[in-house]
Amino acid sequence: MHYSGTVLVAGATGRTGQWVVKRLQHYGIDYRLFVRSGKKALELFGPEITDKLTLGSIENDEEVLAAVSHADAVICAVGGNVMDPEAPPPSAIDRDGVIRLAAHAREQGVRHFILISSLAVTKPDHPLNKYGQVLTMKLEGENEVRRLFSTKGFSYTILRPGGLAEGEPMEHPLLFDTGDRIETGKINRSDVAEAAVESLWTPEARDLTFELIQTDENAAQKSFERYFRNLNKK
């Protein structure tokens, strides 16, 4: 493992974002957090992260600019809360917010953008799309990340996990695929975070959009790099 840059985690206090932070800490990678609530971040991660915080909203240009200004890579784990009628709609978070974050990151010279998206984003008739067209909004966010970070000197990794579950990382073999062909499946949030973090130093993860779920087998994993390599052999 070789990654020496600083990683900004957007959505760090969410359930998946928390795992992203834990896996960055596990590997000793320098990180910063972009969060709405400093109080919640301190409760989750402790006072030692005080100087790593940027407070703000993905809906605010100035706050996004402040967050990305000192990052070498971004891991975006934000997502709208489609079950809360008071929350911003998916169009504001999963599309416009992600696009805003990616655009300002690109402007500020962030080299690698990692986006945690969702299985089935290319399937407009999927039941989840009843909630504010959330999958379609995620796909539109994805498309702009790919456009912005496909130029020379920049790169992206877009993860499309199945249903998100709780559990410790690295306990199940995974299935990676491309083309949105996996119909259904689940995966621990911790393993999504692990795959996102490993993509920082795995060449085969660059400029890649892929789906990932876990298998039913219980078997400890040392890393997920082989799954990236196998994808590139297809």
Side-chain angles (χ1 to χ4, degrees):
M1 187 279 293
H2 301 283
Y3 190 79
S4 57
T6 298
V7 181
L8 176 71
V9 183
T13 58
R15 285 182 289 171
T16 303
Q18 291 174 42
W19 273 110
V20 172
V21 176
K22 290 176 185 178
R23 299 317 288 169
L24 290 168
Q25 292 171 334
H26 173 80
Y27 290 109
I29 296 171
D30 188 40
Y31 63 91
R32 300 291 184 271
L33 310 179
F34 183 38
V35 299
R36 285 179 178 270
S37 170
K39 180 181 178 182
K40 184 175 181 181
L42 290 167
E43 288 172 354
L44 288 169
F45 304 118
E48 62 270 22
I49 54 93
T50 301
D51 61 350
K52 297 180 179 293
L53 287 175
T54 300
L55 302 183
S57 167
I58 200 170
E59 298 177 87
N60 183 290
D61 283 289
E62 290 184 1
E63 292 165 351
V64 171
L65 266 171
V68 300
S69 60
H70 301 293
D72 301 296
V74 170
I75 298 179
C76 178
V78 302
N81 185 354
V82 297
M83 298 301 163
D84 181 1
E86 301 298 319
S91 59
I93 304 299
D94 300 272
R95 182 189 64 192
D96 298 347
V98 167
I99 290 172
R100 183 176 294 106
L101 182 67
H104 287 313
R106 176 69 170 75
E107 290 166 8
Q108 294 299 308
V110 171
R111 295 297 174 184
H112 189 48
F113 195 98
I114 301 165
L115 174 63
I116 298 174
S117 182
S118 175
L119 207 68
V121 292
T122 67
K123 299 170 182 175
D125 294 331
H126 193 281
L128 277 178
N129 252 348
K130 295 176 182 177
Y131 302 98
Q133 295 288 300
V134 60
L135 295 176
T136 299
M137 296 301 101
K138 286 181 181 292
L139 180 61
E140 292 184 14
E142 282 188 20
N143 288 338
E144 190 65 4
V145 169
R146 279 186 286 267
R147 187 188 72 81
L148 288 165
F149 285 86
S150 290
T151 53
K152 186 177 180 180
F154 296 86
S155 58
Y156 65 85
T157 304
I158 297 175
L159 298 81
R160 294 172 168 174
L164 297 170
E166 304 301 332
E168 293 299 310
M170 316 290 283
E171 293 184 345
H172 300 276
L174 302 186
L175 173 64
F176 283 16
D177 198 12
T178 58
D180 213 2
R181 297 178 294 187
I182 299 175
E183 292 294 327
T184 187
K186 69 175 184 177
I187 184 169
N188 286 343
R189 294 176 188 275
S190 58
D191 283 338
V192 177
E194 175 68 23
V197 169
E198 287 192 29
S199 73
L200 290 165
W201 65 78
T202 305
E204 293 87 353
R206 297 299 167 104
D207 301 326
L208 181 68
T209 301
F210 69 103
E211 296 77 50
L212 63 165
I213 60 172
Q214 69 189 38
T215 70
D216 293 331
E217 182 183 353
N218 292 314
Q221 307 294 296
K222 292 184 178 179
S223 93
F224 295 157
E225 292 180 45
R226 65 187 173 98
Y227 301 122
F228 289 113
R229 289 195 296 268
N230 290 340
L231 264 187
N232 279 268
K233 294 176 182 176
K234 291 186 177 182

